[in-house]
Amino acid sequence: MHNPSLSNSRPRTGILVILLALLATASASLAQQQPAQADQRVVRVVGHGVVYGQPDVATVELGVTAVDPDAGAAVEEIDRRMREVLASLARLDVPQQDIRTTAYNIWREEQLPREGETTGQPVFRAQHMIAVELEGARRAGEILAAAVEAGANAVGGITFGFSDPEELKAQARAQAVEDARMRATQLAAAAGVALGEPLVIEEIPVTGGPIPYLERSMAVASAAPISPGQLSVEVQVAVTYAIQ
């Protein structure tokens, strides 16, 4: 008599045998790979590269502030002053598309009570700040002086930079790779081994932007003597070398 349970068990047994064979093959392959990874000898170093350059662009943040017991009057004052500031920038051929509003705020402030008063009188402060992007970092002083003369009474700061930093970054990368090679060579020599080929090269992100190298103090006057100085571009690379 045909026994269904016996016929059904044969295919399952065959599948189990195949799975066991595959598992044994994979284990043998893994066992062959592990010694190779364990025997791999490497040295990992971090190289640094820094290149300095003269900035050729600048961003000047400036604006106008007004205080008045009436909020509407404070707004009218900053609007009038800002129109005059923008007109002064137009006379210096600053393109309108290079000027953008960064802040427009109105808030209430409580003044300290005067003598004989129990409470102070509230006032409203209005502020309009703009950022002016300039081609030519040395124009920052000229622009700032003209804006202050036109009525700007708030200066947020000046930021210098590069219009195309890629060439400086390429030089810094080359320095970083060479620095890594020198470090690895010294380590290998100290350990009494020979340095092999680089196996992995990775660029490590450097936080922050260009670092000021030399920047003189700012003086807001008719000449506005502002020096952009120099900025640095820094690159770090991690390199893994084989050692013999």
Side-chain angles (χ1 to χ4, degrees):
M1 179 181 291
H2 177 67
N3 191 337
S5 62
L6 292 177
S7 62
N8 289 338
S9 65
R10 291 174 183 173
R12 295 178 182 176
T13 304
I15 293 174
L16 181 59
V17 171
I18 294 174
L19 290 175
L20 290 174
L22 291 174
L23 181 60
T25 303
S27 300
S29 176
L30 182 61
Q32 293 175 356
Q33 293 176 4
Q34 286 178 346
Q37 293 176 355
D39 292 341
Q40 188 178 30
R41 303 194 304 169
V42 299
V43 58
R44 185 176 186 271
V45 294
V46 176
H48 301 266
V50 181
V51 177
Y52 296 98
Q54 186 78 29
D56 58 354
V57 294
T59 300
V60 180
E61 188 176 11
L62 54 90
V64 293
T65 300
V67 180
D68 197 279
D70 181 77
V75 171
E76 289 179 3
E77 176 67 13
I78 64 170
D79 288 347
R80 180 188 65 80
R81 286 194 176 193
M82 183 54 71
R83 284 194 295 269
E84 295 176 358
V85 170
L86 294 177
S88 70
L89 298 180
R91 288 192 292 269
L92 293 175
D93 298 324
V94 178
Q96 187 175 0
Q97 62 267 24
D98 292 341
I99 303 172
R100 70 180 189 278
T101 295
T102 58
Y104 193 103
N105 302 310
I106 306 168
W107 67 94
R108 173 173 167 161
E109 294 181 350
E110 297 293 339
Q111 299 283 52
L112 293 175
R114 299 178 182 177
E115 186 177 355
E117 297 180 344
T118 57
T119 59
Q121 296 297 321
V123 296
F124 293 90
R125 185 180 297 272
Q127 185 179 65
H128 185 179
M129 300 294 294
I130 61 173
V132 185
E133 298 180 2
L134 303 172
E135 294 183 2
R138 294 192 178 277
R139 293 198 68 195
E142 176 190 14
I143 296 300
L144 185 56
V148 170
E149 185 177 355
N153 57 1
V155 178
I158 301 176
T159 304
F160 298 105
F162 303 106
S163 58
D164 184 12
E166 291 306 316
E167 182 178 352
L168 294 175
K169 286 183 178 180
Q171 296 177 22
R173 288 189 185 101
Q175 284 189 11
V177 171
E178 177 62 19
D179 181 55
R181 187 192 65 78
M182 293 177 58
R183 291 171 185 265
T185 300
Q186 293 174 1
L187 291 173
V193 296
L195 189 68
E197 294 295 322
L199 302 177
V200 180
I201 302 176
E202 298 175 288
E203 184 170 340
I204 304 174
V206 178
T207 58
I211 304 171
Y213 173 65
L214 173 64
E215 184 174 342
R216 298 176 183 175
S217 60
M218 182 185 72
V220 180
S222 58
I226 299 173
S227 173
Q230 285 187 315
L231 300 180
S232 69
V233 175
E234 181 179 0
V235 172
Q236 293 186 113
V237 295
V239 185
T240 302
Y241 287 91
I243 56 176
Q244 303 170 356

